[in-house]
Amino acid sequence: MNSSDAPGAEGFRARVREFLAAELPAGWRGVGTLDAAAADAFAERWRATLFEHGFLAPSWPAEYGGAGLTPLEQVVLAEEFARVGVPTGVQNDVFSIVMIGNTLLHWGTEEQKRHFLPRILSGEDRWCQGYSEPGAGSDLAGLSARAEIDGDEWVINGQKIWTSGGQLANWIFVLVRTDQDAPAHRGISLLLVPMDQPGVEVRPIRNMAGDSDFNEVFFTDARCPRENVVGEVDGGWKVAMTLLGYERGEAAAILPIMFRIELDRLLDLARENGAAEDPVLRDRLADAYIGVEVMRFMGMASLARFLQGHPPGPDAAVSKLYWSEYHQKVTELALDVLDVESLVVQGRRPTNVTMFQTDDVGAPNDSASWITTAMVSRSGTIYAGTSEIQKTIIGEKLLGLPK
């Protein structure tokens, strides 16, 4: 199945192209042609434009500020945005819209939807994720951060780690233990916690690329209103799994679009510097092409299941495992294609304004682009659930293997 095969897809594509032609500057060649400061400024202006036209959360119902698009139309939108090299939002929108926004639509009370969803779209509230802990990592059931009721408020104590975008957020959704005596997967709740209070401390972590995109977050008697629990008190495990399904599932149909654009840039580089004539590198480039095609077919299969009424489930683990390991291989290949140029960082570094794992559309084939992307790709098999966790999900939930 291709997105173009579905009834109505091409009509919607024409509408999106009219929107892009009207809103983008003349001669636009992609956000990858801009330096970091200009790319950030463009992303904020572009976010406001998407909000104005309902394209920021395109699948949300119109009553909550979305465009009410189908998942298929959302894929067409992503394809056209990728084609011209514009982002679908800013960095924290992955957490604000894809994760907690979609989860509130599924589990939230009407009061929570009416309060939080408009503030997410306006940009007043920008979210980060409080899941991983130093002693638990991706094993969420092993978390130890806790919350207790004190009058009309929850009081939160504990630590989270690998909190991407925490330095840019003013709200955090936090998994905490609310029943200390319950079994591991029970007694957990998902709380919505404001970060601009004395009991929340964010400490940036510097990675090997020299950036500080993820953080430690410490809670010391931090507070949030009693009604800021999503789903049932002590029933947060189901809510947490729904959120992870959106995180891993929505990427299945959209990420292959970005990976294909990235691979095309790598093929151009290989042709230009002669690496494409090396038979070993040619085999690896062909293998990368097959890898992207496999991802594309898996994404379309996920989309087809979604269109048939099946929400993201454990099958999202297959996609997450596949793309994260693919990207490490293809960026290692890029360094081999660069050959000795991979020893020196030169040119434009990725701006990461899209939060996709590839460099932005329009970025030059500089060594800085590929070296930085290769380093960032190392974390792909850790965040959003490690490869080990994905294999466990596949074994237990899809293959029926014993625990």
Side-chain angles (χ1 to χ4, degrees):
M1 173 186 177
N2 290 312
S3 60
S4 300
D5 297 336
E10 291 313 294
F12 179 69
R13 191 184 304 280
R15 176 186 156 197
V16 175
R17 290 188 175 184
E18 290 176 2
F19 162 75
L20 292 170
E23 299 295 336
L24 287 174
W28 174 259
R29 293 186 296 111
V31 74
T33 62
L34 307 176
D35 62 31
D40 286 342
F42 172 83
E44 290 293 341
R45 292 195 304 272
W46 186 245
R47 187 188 195 279
T49 301
L50 297 181
F51 175 45
E52 179 184 349
H53 288 80
F55 284 161
L56 189 57
S59 64
W60 288 10
E63 63 184 296
Y64 299 119
L69 301 185
T70 67
L72 174 66
E73 290 171 327
Q74 194 171 1
V75 170
V76 171
L77 190 73
E79 287 176 341
E80 291 303 308
F81 280 17
R83 181 180 61 82
V84 299
V86 293
T88 55
V90 296
Q91 182 174 349
N92 286 71
D93 284 331
V94 173
F95 310 103
S96 303
I97 296 173
V98 176
M99 296 187 197
I100 194 62
N102 283 330
T103 301
L104 284 173
L105 283 172
H106 189 101
W107 288 99
T109 64
E110 191 58 33
E111 290 75 14
Q112 288 172 338
K113 295 175 188 176
R114 296 287 178 190
H115 178 77
F116 286 108
L117 297 183
R119 296 163 64 94
I120 287 174
L121 294 183
S122 70
E124 184 176 358
D125 291 350
R126 299 200 176 192
W127 290 79
C128 61
Q129 180 180 30
Y131 270 28
S132 297
E133 296 188 3
S138 292
D139 181 16
L140 295 177
L143 62 86
S144 59
R146 65 187 188 280
E148 299 171 330
I149 283 290
D150 179 19
D152 292 332
E153 294 181 317
W154 290 100
V155 179
I156 304 125
N157 284 280
Q159 180 189 354
K160 297 293 177 177
I161 197 167
W162 314 125
T163 307
S164 301
Q167 79 280 17
L168 305 173
N170 58 352
W171 281 82
I172 182 170
F173 49 91
V174 188
L175 271 184
V176 291
R177 191 160 294 286
T178 44
D179 183 344
Q180 306 300 317
D181 301 322
H185 292 80
R186 301 175 185 173
I188 291 174
S189 302
L190 184 69
L191 301 184
L192 309 176
V193 181
M195 298 182 74
D196 53 350
Q197 60 172 305
V200 179
E201 181 185 1
V202 179
R203 298 180 187 174
I205 300 172
R206 190 176 179 85
N207 64 26
M208 66 178 176
D211 300 317
S212 299
D213 290 334
F214 46 86
N215 309 266
E216 297 175 286
V217 181
F218 295 84
F219 300 92
T220 306
D221 293 331
R223 290 174 176 265
C224 73
R226 187 177 191 136
E227 61 269 22
N228 277 21
V229 59
V230 183
E232 296 179 359
V233 174
D234 298 337
W237 186 256
K238 290 186 294 186
V239 182
M241 293 302 103
T242 299
L243 186 145
L244 289 177
Y246 282 117
E247 180 186 16
R248 296 164 185 165
E250 186 158 311
I254 295 174
L255 273 180
I257 301 168
M258 302 303 296
F259 285 138
R260 178 55 189 269
I261 292 172
E262 179 186 66
L263 180 59
D264 286 344
R265 286 179 57 232
L266 180 57
L267 292 171
D268 288 342
L269 175 64
R271 294 188 189 100
E272 290 167 5
N273 73 0
E277 302 303 319
D278 182 304
V280 175
L281 292 178
R282 285 178 66 88
D283 281 350
R284 293 172 64 189
L285 289 167
D287 187 60
Y289 180 89
I290 294 169
V292 174
E293 285 297 288
V294 169
M295 274 190 283
R296 186 170 68 85
F297 285 119
M298 286 198 297
M300 289 298 105
S302 295
L303 176 62
R305 287 193 293 273
F306 199 101
L307 291 172
Q308 293 167 358
H310 303 289
D315 54 312
V318 178
S319 172
K320 200 280 174 178
L321 176 67
Y322 193 92
W323 70 250
S324 59
E325 299 202 345
Y326 158 84
H327 201 225
Q328 291 183 0
K329 291 179 182 176
V330 79
T331 51
E332 289 170 4
L333 170 59
L335 299 184
D336 290 338
V337 168
L338 280 169
D339 200 13
V340 294
E341 290 187 34
S342 68
L343 300 176
V344 180
V345 178
Q346 290 184 313
R348 171 195 177 280
R349 295 182 69 237
T351 61
N352 293 323
V353 295
T354 65
M355 272 298 286
F356 282 114
Q357 290 71 25
T358 64
D359 201 352
D360 297 312
V361 174
N365 267 321
D366 294 330
S367 63
S369 171
W370 291 109
I371 292 170
T372 306
T373 304
M375 287 193 287
V376 172
S377 76
R378 311 311 298 175
S379 60
T381 51
I382 299 174
Y383 61 68
T386 65
S387 288
E388 289 75 14
I389 290 293
Q390 307 309 317
K391 291 175 182 175
T392 298
I393 294 172
I394 293 167
E396 294 179 358
K397 304 294 185 183
L398 298 180
L399 301 179
L401 300 177
K403 294 184 178 179

